[in-house]
Amino acid sequence: EHQTNWDGQRLVKYDGIWLLELLFRPILSAQKYFKAKDTDVILSTMPKSGTTWLKALTFSIANRSVFPIDRSPLLTSNPHKVVPALEFNLYWGKGEENPDPESFPEPRILSTHIPFEILPDSIRESDCRIIYISRNPLDVFISQRQFLLENKIAKDAVPLELDEAFDMFCRGITSYGPFWEHMLGYWNAHLKNPERVLFLKYEDLKGDILSNVKKIAEFMGFPFSAEEEKQGVVEQISRLCSFENLKNLEVNKSGNVLGLMKNSSFFRKGEVGDWVNYLSPEMAERVKNIMESKFQGSGLTFNI
Ligand code: A3P
């Protein structure tokens, strides 16, 4: 089944999930060839939920003894170059054009937007860790829309007006959608196995970054020592990875990822609740109702 997404890109339906046609082959290759290791850390997100932030944080946490903060690769490379994505970087090319993930140093930190149900089997079957970051879907929708309008990935396509685009999003037709299935898939995986799947919320990180950095470090198996805490390492990592710091780095003001997405477009506003500037209370109500019915009994909640 095919469909045109609200930004004009082509979608295909696979196992009940809408995938960008552009990513279909890389996703199938990832499923077929990716061999997870027990030491891997997989960052999973719905696009625009905080992937860039999570990449910067997890990389800094895992590599803090290799790269001191003032020599962090994040100062000279966009986080998406530092932490590769399965479907964008590892399996984007055809066969031999792809990098060999076997050669990456451990622990390998890799990201993906692939829903839990269709992750490569080896990720679900190994003892690797998965960190999911979720975000209020209204902010996700606005962030995605602004990102896609800015990057015009579908060159000749005409994006739909806001109302129509929102309607499609709510009907589940969006890249990697429906969004509620994406969240529920990882939420249920977290409930089943909290040692293997950490479930974070963008809003919680905005509210209290320090305790979340500690929580992420513990989950990854790299807890901060009392000595490090005393030296302020948690604060230093949080500051390095903050929106203001990353946005203002020279490297993130120009250049692009894969020739498709401007580095700068990954740093827009970085706020909670920006949707109020675009969406009506009725639109918010619609999403609230969807979430209430879909998340009923699951224990997953969002404050809108
Ligand atoms: P906005 O468009 O609402 O500003 P992703 O990284 O998954 O592509 O998500 C991008 C969203 O996260 C954008 O949201 C972006 O501004 C925000 N973001 C990027 N880096 C961030 C950081 N270090 N801290 C907080 N938010 C960040």
Side-chain angles (χ1 to χ4, degrees):
E1 200 178 336
H2 289 253
Q3 170 86 43
T4 303
N5 198 11
W6 40 272
D7 70 323
Q9 294 192 76
R10 299 280 301 153
L11 293 171
V12 292
K13 203 170 194 179
Y14 175 75
D15 258 7
I17 298 154
W18 289 107
L19 299 173
L20 288 178
E21 212 170 62
L22 180 77
L23 291 170
F24 192 51
R25 195 192 46 75
I27 290 173
L28 292 185
S29 297
Q31 281 185 339
K32 195 164 165 195
Y33 299 113
F34 182 68
K35 292 279 166 284
K37 298 183 182 183
D38 290 347
T39 51
D40 287 346
V41 178
I42 309 291
L43 313 179
S44 297
T45 63
M46 190 71 172
K48 304 297 125 194
S49 299
T51 323
T52 315
W53 197 6
L54 189 59
K55 284 187 177 193
L57 290 168
T58 49
F59 177 84
S60 304
I61 290 167
N63 292 288
R64 63 187 189 267
S65 59
V66 186
F67 301 111
I69 304 290
D70 59 351
R71 276 188 280 137
S72 170
L74 291 166
L75 297 170
T76 48
S77 299
N78 178 279
H80 294 278
K81 294 253 162 68
V82 176
V83 175
L86 280 184
E87 64 268 42
F88 290 97
N89 306 104
L90 266 53
Y91 298 99
W92 181 259
K94 295 204 174 77
E96 65 281 4
E97 295 167 26
N98 292 315
D100 177 12
E102 287 299 317
S103 68
F104 295 2
E106 294 182 27
R108 301 184 302 183
I109 304 178
L110 304 166
S111 77
T112 186
H113 296 312
I114 301 176
F116 184 78
E117 292 74 13
I118 60 163
L119 280 175
D121 288 340
S122 76
I123 295 183
R124 278 175 295 131
E125 287 160 9
S126 77
D127 271 334
C128 73
R129 281 162 219 200
I130 298 175
I131 306 182
Y132 187 77
I133 185 161
S134 62
R135 189 181 186 189
N136 158 12
L138 296 169
D139 282 339
V140 169
F141 170 73
I142 291 302
S143 183
Q144 281 188 8
R145 184 170 154 85
Q146 298 306 111
F147 182 83
L148 294 167
L149 289 176
E150 191 176 344
N151 286 308
K152 290 204 189 61
I153 294 171
K155 298 261 174 322
D156 308 320
V158 183
L160 295 180
E161 291 299 322
L162 182 73
D163 281 16
E164 271 182 289
F166 184 75
D167 180 60
M168 276 181 88
F169 183 80
C170 287
R171 287 189 288 122
I173 308 168
T174 191
S175 174
Y176 299 100
F179 67 82
W180 55 85
E181 300 286 353
H182 201 281
M183 290 183 181
L184 269 179
Y186 282 99
W187 175 252
N188 288 330
H190 157 73
L191 290 182
K192 233 189 228 161
N193 205 341
E195 282 80 42
R196 277 208 53 215
V197 184
L198 179 65
F199 193 97
L200 301 170
K201 292 182 182 169
Y202 181 92
E203 294 76 14
D204 292 346
L205 266 69
K206 285 296 274 188
D208 181 355
I209 188 63
L210 299 181
S211 68
N212 277 287
V213 167
K214 285 194 245 178
K215 188 201 262 186
I216 295 169
E218 268 162 42
F219 177 80
M220 290 174 74
F222 297 97
F224 293 97
S225 65
E227 187 56 30
E228 283 181 306
E229 291 209 21
K230 223 167 68 199
Q231 288 168 354
V233 179
V234 183
E235 284 82 358
Q236 286 164 20
I237 289 178
S238 305
R239 218 175 303 127
L240 170 71
C241 302
S242 70
F243 177 80
E244 290 71 24
N245 187 54
L246 293 181
K247 183 188 173 74
N248 290 314
L249 293 172
E250 265 329 297
V251 60
N252 293 326
K253 290 186 185 165
S254 59
N256 61 65
V257 176
L258 291 171
L260 289 174
M261 303 167 276
K262 296 179 202 158
N263 284 349
S264 60
S265 67
F266 288 93
F267 307 94
R268 193 182 64 95
K269 273 197 173 174
E271 286 170 8
V272 174
D274 185 45
W275 64 266
V276 293
N277 298 313
Y278 299 86
L279 303 174
S280 67
E282 291 73 34
M283 289 163 127
E285 202 53 35
R286 182 170 174 193
V287 164
K288 243 190 220 176
N289 289 337
I290 295 173
M291 291 201 296
E292 260 167 35
S293 74
K294 299 286 177 186
F295 295 167
Q296 202 178 24
S298 72
L300 180 56
T301 54
F302 277 88
N303 293 327
I304 293 184

